[in-house]
């Protein structure tokens, strides 16, 4: 068993975790100062979102120099110090890589703008003439995931209206042309750069992107449908193109020279068979699966998501991954209904999550039960807000900084002004307050992670056995194990399965499992 096949990975949204220098933005030094907390929580691996040099149009997913640290997050010395300290705390460190696109401030893209159509500088991206007599129409009908056309027109070096370039995300994130060998050579250099500095693995952003079909044909979808999250549908030419697998084989060949290091891909691929293709023995080690995170709080839907995730990896030699959220999604406490019920449901789902075989991802702040924050318009920073013409508020609500202790404005996150406002209700949810409260969400996570690591009931295989359960409920155990996880999403209390209760997400009533509650039994 490799370490990544049974890890509890904690996703750190670097901007929002801990601010070491008082500028209101989280940084590498801040993370280092909070490693003790992560050790207490019991996670074994960290995933850091991009901390590379960036103009921050998409908060770091627009990378201007993939081998440099942005000054707002620290410098290379701070990174090296963090890796060393994390390893001393027996925490592994995985970092994001963004191979699909660069920032428009990347030196390659600046050079492309200064060069003529047809030049080698432009050939690192997707530049094309427009359609129509004067080239005023974009080269095809592709839409940006963040809204609007996926093409932006540039002025030629001589000042006239020129070519268009492709950006599946914001215009500040031009897509790289992966049929250009320089693009791979540069990613390889970047991977070795960070591997040689001691990272334990990579999360590959948009791992189903990169490769594009020859000639960039029109999508047969209407633009409105293309706006919806790309699900790897065959009719959507923007993502999940067959050529991507050759790229993953190259990535894997680099990793294979660094035993014990791993890659996990962000795979927004709805079809189970196509998902599995990325996990062949010479491609990714793991794929991020958001099926469970997308399921509503309903036992039948949760069971279906779990079974589909298991099915998607069944034909591979890898393990499933599970998560309830990430920096792109509404937080569980809000998504499951908000208020007290939403909080209780998020806690119940944490026990489902942590009972599952394979690798688990916990998004920072979910262990505190943080809700999404209702931010005022003027505070919003996600490019989705502007790109959608203020129709979609974007992802800032679930990226508000972590409340550590004390009160407003910074709650111990920063001595300055936090980059997104932290609301009054955070006062009761700080890590410090929850560490002292045995009934807190943080205490539940700590106990659950500890049991997951040490209890023999978790040593079972990767198959699940389902028990008969009342309507709106589910119960499962790993094949060969005695530990049962039961979840009640119905409106009535139900009898518990037989066994000793090891942990429950809320109080049990007369030995019954109340609504919005889960329990582990041995
Ligand atoms: O969050 C989404 C739309 O608002 C998703 O469709 C998301 O954009 C998609 O899953 C790709 O996400 C990744 O790459 C993006 C970045 O903005 C996301 O934060 C990252 O997780 C572009 O680099």
């Amino acid at each position: 068993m490799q370490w990544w096949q049974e890890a509890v990975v904690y996703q750190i949204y670097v901007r929002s975790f801990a601010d070491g220098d008082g500028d209101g933005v989280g940084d590498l030094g801040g993370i280092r100062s909070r490693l003790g907390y992560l050790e207490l929580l019991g996670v074994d691996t960290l995933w850091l979102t991009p901390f590379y040099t960036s103009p921050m149009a998409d908060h770091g997913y627009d990378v201007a120099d993939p081998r440099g640290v942005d000054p707002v997050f620290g410098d290379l010395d701070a990174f090296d110090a963090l890796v060393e300290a994390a390893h001393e705390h027996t925490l592994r460190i995985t970092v994001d890589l963004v191979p699909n696109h660069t920032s428009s401030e990347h030196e390659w893209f600046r050079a492309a703008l200064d060069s003529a159509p047809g030049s080698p500088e432009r050939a690192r991206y997707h530049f094309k003439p427009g359609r129509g007599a004067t080239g005023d129409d974009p080269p095809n009908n592709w839409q940006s995931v963040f809204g609007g056309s996926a093409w932006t027109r540039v002025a030629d070096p001589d000042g006239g209206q020129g070519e268009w370039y492709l950006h599946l995300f914001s215009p500040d994130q031009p897509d790289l042309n992966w049929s250009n060998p320089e693009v791979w050579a540069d990613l390889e250099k970047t991977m070795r750069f960070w591997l040689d500095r001691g990272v334990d693995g990579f999360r590959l952003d948009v791992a189903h992107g990169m490769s594009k079909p020859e000639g960039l044909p029109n999508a047969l979808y209407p633009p409105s449908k293309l706006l919806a999250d790309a699900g790897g549908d065959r009719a959507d030419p923007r993502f999940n193109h067959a050529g991507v697998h050759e790229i993953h084989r190259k990535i894997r060949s680099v990793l294979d020279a660094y035993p014990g290091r791993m890659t996990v891909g962000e795979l927004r691929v709805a079809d189970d068979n196509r998902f599995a293709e990325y996990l062949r023995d010479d491609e990714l080690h793991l794929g991020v699966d958001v099926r469970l995170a997308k399921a509503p709080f309903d036992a039948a839907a949760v069971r279906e998501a779990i079974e589909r995730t298991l099915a998607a990896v069944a034909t591979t030699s890898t393990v499933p991954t599970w998560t309830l959220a990430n920096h792109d999604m509404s937080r569980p406490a809000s998504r499951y209904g908000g208020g007290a019920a939403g909080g209780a449901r998020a806690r119940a789902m944490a026990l489902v999550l942590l009972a599952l075989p394979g690798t688990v991802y916990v998004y920072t702040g979910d262990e505190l039960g943080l809700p999404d924050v209702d931010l005022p318009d003027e505070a919003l920073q996600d490019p989705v807000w502007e790109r959608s013409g203020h129709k979609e508020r974007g992802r800032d609500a679930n990226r508000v900084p972590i409340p550590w202790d004390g009160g407003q404005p910074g709650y111990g996150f920063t001595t300055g002004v936090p980059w997104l406002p932290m609301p009054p209700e955070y006062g009761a949810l700080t890590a410090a307050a929850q560490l002292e409260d045995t009934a807190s969400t943080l205490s539940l996570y700590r106990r659950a992670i500890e049991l997951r690591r040490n209890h023999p009931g978790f040593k079972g295989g990767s198959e699940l056995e389902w028990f008969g359960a009342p309507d709106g409920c589910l119960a499962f155990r790993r094949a060969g194990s005695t530990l049962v996880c039961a979840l009640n999403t119905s409106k009535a209390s139900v009898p518990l399965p037989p066994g000793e209760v090891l942990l429950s997400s809320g109080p049990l009533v007369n030995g019954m499992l109340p609504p919005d509650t889960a329990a582990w039994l041995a």
Side-chain angles (χ1 to χ4, degrees):
M1 187 78 108
Q2 299 280 7
W3 61 265
W4 59 79
Q5 298 187 323
E6 50 181 358
V8 178
V9 187
Y10 185 86
Q11 179 191 352
I12 292 186
Y13 194 69
V14 177
R15 253 189 117 66
S16 298
F17 188 66
D19 173 17
D21 62 6
D23 65 357
V25 177
D27 49 42
L28 300 175
I31 299 171
R32 188 153 66 99
S33 74
R34 296 291 183 183
L35 293 174
Y37 168 83
L38 297 167
E39 203 170 23
L40 269 181
L41 177 60
V43 298
D44 42 72
T45 305
L46 310 180
W47 154 26
L48 271 48
T49 55
F51 48 85
Y52 314 115
T53 315
S54 166
M56 305 290 165
D58 189 18
H59 290 330
Y61 282 96
D62 49 320
V63 181
D65 175 5
R67 297 180 288 277
V69 174
D70 195 276
V72 83
F73 297 133
D75 54 22
L76 279 174
D77 287 341
F79 181 77
D80 292 340
L82 173 60
V83 172
E84 192 185 333
H87 286 162
E88 275 165 16
H89 283 261
T90 65
L91 287 161
R92 291 192 169 87
I93 286 219
T94 63
V95 301
D96 237 307
L97 284 182
V98 189
N100 181 70
H101 44 265
T102 68
S103 161
S104 50
E105 298 292 314
H106 190 289
E107 62 176 18
W108 276 4
F109 195 74
R110 288 160 160 267
L113 292 183
D114 289 343
S115 303
S119 60
E121 286 81 4
R122 289 214 171 173
R124 295 166 178 145
Y125 296 91
H126 294 283
F127 278 88
K128 289 193 105 183
R131 287 178 300 178
T134 49
D136 287 344
D137 297 321
N140 71 22
N141 67 355
W142 294 8
Q143 299 290 298
S144 152
V145 173
F146 292 162
S149 171
W151 295 91
T152 292
R153 195 170 195 183
V154 301
D156 271 340
D158 64 12
Q161 281 281 65
E163 291 186 313
W164 300 70
Y165 69 90
L166 177 71
H167 52 84
L168 293 184
F169 295 90
S170 85
D172 317 280
Q173 294 163 295
D175 278 53
L176 285 162
N177 175 8
W178 270 89
S179 52
N180 184 331
E182 282 184 78
V183 172
W184 160 248
D186 194 68
L187 182 70
E188 177 174 10
K189 198 167 154 192
T190 300
M191 289 170 59
R192 292 188 189 279
F193 181 86
W194 297 109
L195 287 165
D196 292 339
R197 294 194 108 84
V199 305
D200 297 286
F202 298 113
R203 179 257 190 193
L204 292 167
D205 188 58
V206 200
H208 54 302
M210 300 181 269
S211 178
K212 310 287 188 298
E214 193 60 42
L216 310 181
N218 267 335
L220 304 176
Y221 272 19
S224 59
K225 195 150 187 232
L226 280 182
L227 266 182
D229 207 347
D233 193 305
R234 279 188 199 278
D236 181 345
R238 300 172 304 166
F239 295 104
N240 206 3
H241 180 251
V244 73
H245 295 289
E246 191 197 325
I247 301 169
H248 284 298
R249 284 191 285 273
K250 286 184 180 163
I251 291 172
R252 180 60 175 262
S253 70
V254 174
L255 265 291
D256 282 345
Y258 292 82
R261 322 284 182 100
M262 59 80 85
T263 53
V264 53
E266 181 201 21
L267 294 177
R268 297 251 178 172
V269 180
D271 180 90
D272 292 346
N273 295 321
R274 302 196 79 196
F275 187 94
E277 287 172 357
Y278 289 82
L279 300 170
R280 290 178 285 211
D281 286 343
D282 56 355
E283 298 196 34
L284 291 164
H285 292 100
L286 292 174
V288 170
D289 196 309
V290 288
R291 287 170 174 82
L292 183 64
K294 296 219 151 173
F297 188 73
D298 166 72
V302 169
R303 177 170 170 171
E304 196 203 328
I306 293 172
E307 288 186 317
R308 284 202 51 207
T309 293
L310 292 171
V313 296
T315 56
T316 73
S317 54
T318 182
V319 300
T321 70
W322 312 95
T323 187
L324 296 180
N326 58 42
H327 63 294
D328 294 332
M329 302 182 73
S330 180
R331 286 191 179 274
S334 296
R335 207 173 60 225
Y336 297 137
R345 291 169 184 166
R347 291 160 55 93
M349 286 302 294
L351 288 197
V352 172
L353 174 80
L354 290 163
L356 290 163
T359 289
V360 168
Y361 281 81
V362 176
Y363 176 52
T364 180
D366 283 353
E367 83 280 16
L368 301 175
L370 299 183
D372 290 343
V373 178
D374 198 8
L375 294 164
D377 290 2
E378 61 276 13
L380 297 181
Q381 304 198 21
D382 187 350
V384 170
W385 171 240
E386 289 301 331
R387 293 284 298 170
S388 70
H390 295 186
K391 286 200 194 71
E392 290 185 40
R393 301 187 72 74
R395 301 160 292 180
D396 295 313
N398 48 288
R399 297 173 173 180
V400 172
I402 299 300
W404 291 99
D405 48 50
Q408 277 180 315
Y411 292 102
F413 161 74
T414 180
T415 53
V417 179
W419 72 278
L420 288 172
M422 301 171 72
E425 55 270 31
Y426 269 21
L429 297 171
T430 62
Q434 295 201 38
L435 276 173
E436 284 169 17
D437 174 4
T438 53
S440 69
T441 301
L442 178 56
S443 295
L444 178 76
Y445 265 87
R446 285 180 68 190
R447 182 89 184 106
I449 292 171
E450 187 193 342
L451 285 168
R452 180 180 172 91
R453 178 176 286 174
N454 297 324
H455 194 279
F458 286 101
K459 299 290 174 254
S462 58
E463 314 245 302
L464 290 192
E465 291 171 357
W466 298 89
F467 295 89
D471 265 0
C473 299
L474 62 77
F476 65 83
R477 69 175 180 196
R478 299 191 195 183
S481 151
T482 51
L483 191 133
V484 176
C485 175
L487 168 72
N488 182 359
T489 66
S490 80
K491 300 236 173 320
S493 291
V494 296
L496 278 166
E500 172 211 349
V501 176
L502 283 180
L503 190 60
S504 65
S505 65
L508 303 177
V509 181
N510 301 327
M512 306 270 279
L513 186 66
D516 301 335
T517 309
W520 287 356
L521 302 105

